[in-house]
């Protein structure tokens, strides 16, 4: 199967997974909230947040491990590939124990000294903490197994396992309601059980590829330091993002109150579902970017980077614009009543997501090079400065939208940083990116916005009719504009070949 066709299949698998996972998760959250109650649900998320503060480590490690495994696959170096895999497994085991010890100390101190909870329930919170930390340890050790499946582009298996996990979480959401006492402990225990099942499932699937790996020797000092350095700088960038998000939550709470925090939480949740489609698309082509870089296939590398960039941006805007114009109705159908700031927060987050998507694959391109030190340092500096700006503006105006203005500014500056370092490392030419930006991304966004603005201004006759008209407009505009204007001749020819040869037909 050609690499282009494989990339398209990967994307379809991930989109199917994301759609089903989102629907199942929405049901699960409502059922868990109903069965646990508002208080216990809040307590579980409070305890879980102690671990979640360290969970960004998983993302940094996953990117790093996947990058090195994909890189060695691209080089066809079996010895280095085997050694990278075995050292990754060992490093993740050690790291999981270190982080578990840190979470243990911080969590217990928080529970017994600072947590706002009935003193008679502190032992219950401590037990939930242990179960949450166990989940986190399994998720850390799972990273190399998932990275193997990603590097070998088995997104069909990943999609199946993710959907099974979501279904199991829906099942335990119902099961918790069967218990009268200690529902919080029951829920945390069942959640750990699911984590263990998922862990062994990934390990079993990955062994289809790793069973023939032979540990030739330990990694050389230079290669081991490269892995640790890459993970460390990724960690720094993730830390900056987490600190920016957490500090934003805190200052909004201080200056605007918990109701605005609730609005922020709802907006973030909806935006995360929108982002998932673009993130899954980029994940599906990440291995091909790294492999192409490792094998020095520069022609295909340019093709997959810029075609992937255009398609990921095309998708995020295709979803974001109709949602932005229909957000009040969506919130009314989903929640009934909602805090007043939610619509404006969602619209600003969607703008931010579009800015991030405008350099989505370029981030992967920089990571494939392995030299990420100064990009991650630059990201962190930008995020810290923008967080300070949001604090100053909130302090003087008490207007929470400044948090999102600062976030958008941060994303724009990070976009400039990615383009600058990509050109500096000679991974792409500036005119290549500017051509894609001003000939494809900007005109597409302006046309789409103008169409919906005209629909909203001149044809609006009611909410339901507007939603139906929006849906019809999207179905007509997106395929026609995408095929005629957004795709170049090579991409149109490739799409024709895919349709004619039947995507899933085995050759």
């Amino acid at each position: 199967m050609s690499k282009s066709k494989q990339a398209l299949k990967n994307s379809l698998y991930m989109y199917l997974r994301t759609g089903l996972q989102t629907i199942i998760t929405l049901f699960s959250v409502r059922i868990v909230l109903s069965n646990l109650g508002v208080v216990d649900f809040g307590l579980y998320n409070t305890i879980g947040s102690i671990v979640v503060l360290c969970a960004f480590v998983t993302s940094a490690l996953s990117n790093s491990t996947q990058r090195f495994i994909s890189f060695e696959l691209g080089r066809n170096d079996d010895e280095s590939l085997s050694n990278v895999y075995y050292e990754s497994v060992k490093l993740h085991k050690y790291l999981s124990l270190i982080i578990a010890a840190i979470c243990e100390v911080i969590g217990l101190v928080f529970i017994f000294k600072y947590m706002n909870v009935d003193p008679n329930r502190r032992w219950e919170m401590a037990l939930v903490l242990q179960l949450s930390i166990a989940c986190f340890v399994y998720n850390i050790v799972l990273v190399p197994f998932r990275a193997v499946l990603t590097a070998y582009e088995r997104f069909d298996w990943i999609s199946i396992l993710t959907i099974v996990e979501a279904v199991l979480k829906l099942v335990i959401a119902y099961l918790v309601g069967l218990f009268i006492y200690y529902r919080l402990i029951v829920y945390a225990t069942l959640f750990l059980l699911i984590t263990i099942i998922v862990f062994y499932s990934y390990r079993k699937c990955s062994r289809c590829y790793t069973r023939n790996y032979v540990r030739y020797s330990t990694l050389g000092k230079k290669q081991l330091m490269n892995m640790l350095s890459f993970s460390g700088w990724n960690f720094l960038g993730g830390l900056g993002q987490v600190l920016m998000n957490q500090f934003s939550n805190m200052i909004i709470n201080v200056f605007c109150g918990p109701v605005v925090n609730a609005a922020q939480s709802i907006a973030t949740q909806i935006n995360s579902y929108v982002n998932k489609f673009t993130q899954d698309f980029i994940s599906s082509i990440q291995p091909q970017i790294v492999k192409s870089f490792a094998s020095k296939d520069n022609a295909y590398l340019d093709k997959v980077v810029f075609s992937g960039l255009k398609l990921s941006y095309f998708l995020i805007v295709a979803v974001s614009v109709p949602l932005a114009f229909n957000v009040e109705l969506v919130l009314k159908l989903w929640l009934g009543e909602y805090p007043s700031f939610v619509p404006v927060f969602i619209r600003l987050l969607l703008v931010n997501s579009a800015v991030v998507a405008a350099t989505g694959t370029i981030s992967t391109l920089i990571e494939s090079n392995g030299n990420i030190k100064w990009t991650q340092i630059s990201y962190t500096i930008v995020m810290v400065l923008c967080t300070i700006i949001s604090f100053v503006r909130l302090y003087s105006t008490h207007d929470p939208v400044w948090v999102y203005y600062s976030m958008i500014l941060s994303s724009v500056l990070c976009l400039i940083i990615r383009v600058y370092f990509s050109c500096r490392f000679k991974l792409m030419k500036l005119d290549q990116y500017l051509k894609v930006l001003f000939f494809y991304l900007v005109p597409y966004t302006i046309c789409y916005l103008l169409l919906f603005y005209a629909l909203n201004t001149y044809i609006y006759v009611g909410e339901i009719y507007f939603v139906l008209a929006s849906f019809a407009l999207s179905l007509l505009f997106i395929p026609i504009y995408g095929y005629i204007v957004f795709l170049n001749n090579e991409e149109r020819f490739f799409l024709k070949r895919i349709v004619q040869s039947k995507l899933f037909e085995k050759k």
Side-chain angles (χ1 to χ4, degrees):
M1 181 183 293
S2 69
K3 291 187 287 187
S4 299
K5 185 180 286 189
Q6 182 63 48
L8 185 55
K9 284 187 69 173
N10 294 343
S11 302
L12 292 175
Y13 283 130
M14 296 298 276
Y15 282 128
L16 178 62
R17 181 201 77 165
T18 300
L20 291 174
Q21 184 187 22
T22 300
I23 294 170
I24 296 169
T25 301
L26 287 172
F27 280 106
S28 298
V29 170
R30 296 188 68 170
I31 296 166
V32 170
L33 180 60
S34 174
N35 288 335
L36 288 182
V38 176
V39 174
D40 277 6
F41 186 77
L43 289 173
Y44 181 78
N45 283 283
T46 302
I47 294 295
S49 67
I50 298 170
V51 180
V52 169
L53 283 174
C54 296
F56 68 91
V57 177
T58 305
S59 176
L61 291 172
S62 181
N63 288 337
S64 304
T65 306
Q66 178 191 317
R67 185 264 173 192
F68 281 96
I69 292 176
S70 297
F71 190 86
E72 300 304 336
L73 277 173
R75 292 175 57 202
N76 293 316
D77 189 336
D78 293 337
E79 181 176 346
S80 293
L81 175 61
S82 298
N83 290 335
V84 164
Y85 170 73
Y86 282 111
E87 289 298 324
S88 296
V89 172
K90 185 170 69 175
L91 287 172
H92 283 79
K93 287 179 180 178
Y94 291 150
L95 188 60
S96 67
L97 295 177
I98 293 171
I99 297 176
I102 294 172
C103 289
E104 187 77 33
V105 173
I106 296 175
L108 290 175
V109 170
F110 173 76
I111 289 170
F112 288 99
K113 284 189 174 294
Y114 302 105
M115 190 174 185
N116 184 13
V117 66
D118 184 346
N120 294 324
R121 297 193 66 190
R122 293 190 189 279
W123 69 271
E124 187 179 348
M125 298 302 103
L127 180 55
V128 171
L129 175 68
Q130 309 309 312
L131 295 168
S132 298
I133 291 174
C135 288
F136 179 68
V137 169
Y138 273 105
N139 284 327
I140 285 287
V141 182
L142 166 72
V143 166
F145 307 134
R146 183 185 174 95
V148 167
L149 295 182
T150 303
Y152 281 97
E153 301 183 56
R154 291 314 306 255
F155 292 98
D156 50 347
W157 292 3
I158 293 174
S159 299
I160 291 170
L161 290 174
T162 304
I163 293 169
V164 169
E165 181 183 3
V167 171
L168 290 174
K169 289 178 180 177
L170 179 61
V171 171
I172 69 168
Y174 280 107
L175 289 178
V176 168
L178 302 178
F179 293 82
I180 300 175
Y181 303 106
Y182 302 116
R183 287 184 174 182
L184 191 57
I185 294 176
V186 170
Y187 179 71
T189 303
L190 293 175
F191 202 91
L192 174 60
L193 180 61
I194 291 175
T195 303
I196 294 172
I197 292 172
V198 171
F199 170 80
Y200 282 105
S201 298
Y202 271 102
R203 193 173 77 164
K204 179 71 173 177
C205 291
S206 67
R207 282 185 63 82
C208 294
Y209 295 97
T210 62
R211 65 162 59 98
N212 295 323
Y213 284 6
V214 177
R215 187 163 188 170
Y216 296 91
S217 62
T218 56
L219 280 176
K221 182 178 179 181
K222 182 178 179 181
Q223 191 172 12
L224 182 61
M225 290 304 296
N226 284 339
M227 289 182 66
L228 293 174
S229 174
F230 191 92
S231 300
W233 293 120
N234 245 334
F235 177 91
L236 178 65
L239 180 62
Q241 185 67 57
V242 168
L243 290 178
M244 182 179 185
N245 293 337
Q246 293 299 320
F247 190 71
S248 296
N249 292 339
M250 293 168 60
I251 60 178
I252 282 179
N253 180 269
V254 170
F255 294 114
C256 305
V259 174
V260 182
N261 273 128
Q264 183 186 32
S265 176
I266 294 168
T268 301
Q269 190 172 11
I270 290 179
N271 186 63
S272 68
Y273 293 140
V274 174
N275 279 336
K276 201 78 170 65
F277 287 92
T278 301
Q279 291 166 359
D280 284 346
F281 173 76
I282 293 176
S283 296
S284 68
I285 62 175
Q286 271 181 337
Q288 294 204 7
I289 293 175
V290 178
K291 290 176 187 176
S292 299
F293 180 86
S295 61
K296 299 181 180 180
D297 186 356
N298 294 328
Y300 184 74
L301 180 64
D302 285 346
K303 176 183 175 182
V304 72
V305 166
F306 287 105
S307 295
L309 174 63
K310 288 162 59 179
L311 288 172
S312 61
Y313 184 85
F314 184 83
L315 291 167
I316 194 76
V317 174
V319 176
S320 298
V321 172
L323 177 59
F325 278 90
N326 292 282
V327 66
E328 286 85 0
L329 179 59
V330 171
L331 290 169
K332 187 186 297 184
L333 294 174
W334 183 36
L335 300 174
E337 296 182 359
Y338 53 87
S340 59
F341 276 105
V342 175
V344 66
F345 286 175
I346 291 175
R347 291 185 176 107
L348 290 173
L349 281 171
L350 292 174
V351 172
N352 183 69
S353 296
V355 173
V356 173
T359 52
T361 54
I362 294 177
S363 298
T364 305
L365 181 62
I366 295 173
E367 289 176 0
S368 67
N369 180 50
N371 188 3
I372 62 171
K373 174 182 177 180
W374 289 108
T375 54
Q376 297 297 331
I377 290 175
S378 301
Y379 296 159
T380 305
I381 292 173
V382 164
M383 285 184 279
V384 169
L385 290 176
C386 288
T387 303
I388 293 172
I389 291 172
S390 66
F391 173 79
V392 172
R393 294 303 300 166
L394 263 178
Y395 180 79
S396 59
T397 66
H398 288 243
D399 186 351
V401 296
W402 277 102
V403 168
Y404 295 95
Y405 293 153
S406 300
M407 190 180 296
I408 293 170
L409 175 62
S410 169
S411 296
V412 171
L413 294 176
C414 286
L415 180 151
I416 295 171
I417 289 169
R418 292 186 192 102
V419 174
Y420 168 75
F421 279 105
S422 295
C423 296
R424 180 179 174 182
F425 297 150
K426 298 181 179 179
L427 300 173
M428 70 174 191
K429 295 178 181 178
L430 180 61
D431 62 330
Q432 287 179 292
Y433 179 76
L434 293 178
K435 179 181 178 181
V436 170
L437 179 64
F438 291 110
F439 283 86
Y440 294 98
L441 307 190
V442 172
Y444 164 63
T445 307
I446 293 173
C447 289
Y448 206 20
L449 285 171
L450 287 176
L451 281 172
F452 269 88
Y453 176 77
L455 180 66
N456 184 54
T457 305
Y458 302 110
I459 313 176
Y460 187 88
V461 291
E463 289 181 335
I464 299 299
Y465 291 108
F466 183 73
V467 171
L468 294 174
S470 299
F471 184 69
L473 178 61
S474 299
L475 286 179
L476 290 172
F477 173 78
I478 292 173
I480 296 173
Y481 186 95
Y483 185 80
I484 296 176
V485 180
F486 209 74
L487 300 180
N488 58 35
N489 291 332
E490 184 180 2
E491 290 161 347
R492 283 195 292 270
F493 177 71
F494 165 68
L495 187 60
K496 287 179 182 178
R497 283 177 52 202
I498 291 296
V499 174
Q500 292 170 356
S501 63
K502 298 180 183 179
L503 180 61
F504 296 101
E505 183 180 348
K506 292 184 179 179
K507 298 294 182 183

